[in-house]
Amino acid sequence: QVQLVESGGGLVQPGGSLRLSCALFGRTFSRYTMGWFRQLVGKEREFVAAISWSTDNTYYADHLKGRFTISRDSAKNTVYLQMNSLTPEDTAVYYCAATTAGWDDDYDYWGQGTQVTVSS
């Protein structure tokens, strides 16, 4: 059974940065493509970024590219999302997910989510 545990969310001022972490427990980390998604209030969940397990290629939502960076540390079974130049429009619950399929396929496992609030 795979368990994903996110951390690093919180309150940040506009223009600030946050780094989210997601640790994978229960399986071989290197076999999973890891993704980050977010859900804004009143909106559907949307894709943020993903990193392929086999190639380490990264993929981003077009409107977030350049501000967000996904990375992974296989030794720590952890994936990160570095978020810079945050705006109130980035306020959302951020979810980590894992799949053995492609980065744009369905994800098999989800974390519980971590709240990110951007406000002055």
Side-chain angles (χ1 to χ4, degrees), residues 4-9 18-24 34 36 71 76-83 94-96 112-114:
L4 301 174
V5 179
E6 300 111 333
S7 60
L18 274 180
R19 188 178 78 158
L20 305 182
S21 301
C22 173
L24 185 150
M34 303 297 295
W36 285 98
S71 61
K76 296 182 178 180
N77 282 8
T78 299
V79 63
Y80 304 98
L81 183 69
Q82 177 68 41
M83 305 185 294
Y94 284 73
Y95 296 91
C96 172
Q112 79 286 356
T114 186

Side-chain angles (χ1 to χ4, degrees), residues 20 22 33-38 45-52 57-72 79-83 94-99 102-105 107 110:
L20 305 182
C22 173
T33 288
M34 303 297 295
W36 285 98
F37 294 76
R38 70 182 187 180
R45 187 168 56 198
E46 65 175 6
F47 171 77
V48 174
I51 184 165
S52 169
N57 287 344
T58 55
Y59 308 89
Y60 296 93
D62 286 342
H63 65 291
L64 299 175
K65 199 177 300 184
R67 292 196 300 122
F68 288 17
T69 302
I70 189 171
S71 61
R72 63 194 293 160
V79 63
Y80 304 98
L81 183 69
Q82 177 68 41
M83 305 185 294
Y94 284 73
Y95 296 91
C96 172
T99 179
W103 67 273
D104 53 351
D105 286 326
Y107 282 71
W110 293 83

Side-chain angles (χ1 to χ4, degrees), residues 38-41 87-94 115-119:
R38 70 182 187 180
Q39 187 164 21
L40 285 66
V41 174
T87 75
E89 288 69 39
D90 295 314
T91 296
V93 178
Y94 284 73
Q115 176 70 47
V116 171
T117 302
V118 184
S119 175

Side-chain angles (χ1 to χ4, degrees), residues 19-33:
R19 188 178 78 158
L20 305 182
S21 301
C22 173
L24 185 150
F25 300 94
R27 286 291 186 272
T28 304
F29 180 74
S30 61
R31 294 287 182 162
Y32 289 90
T33 288

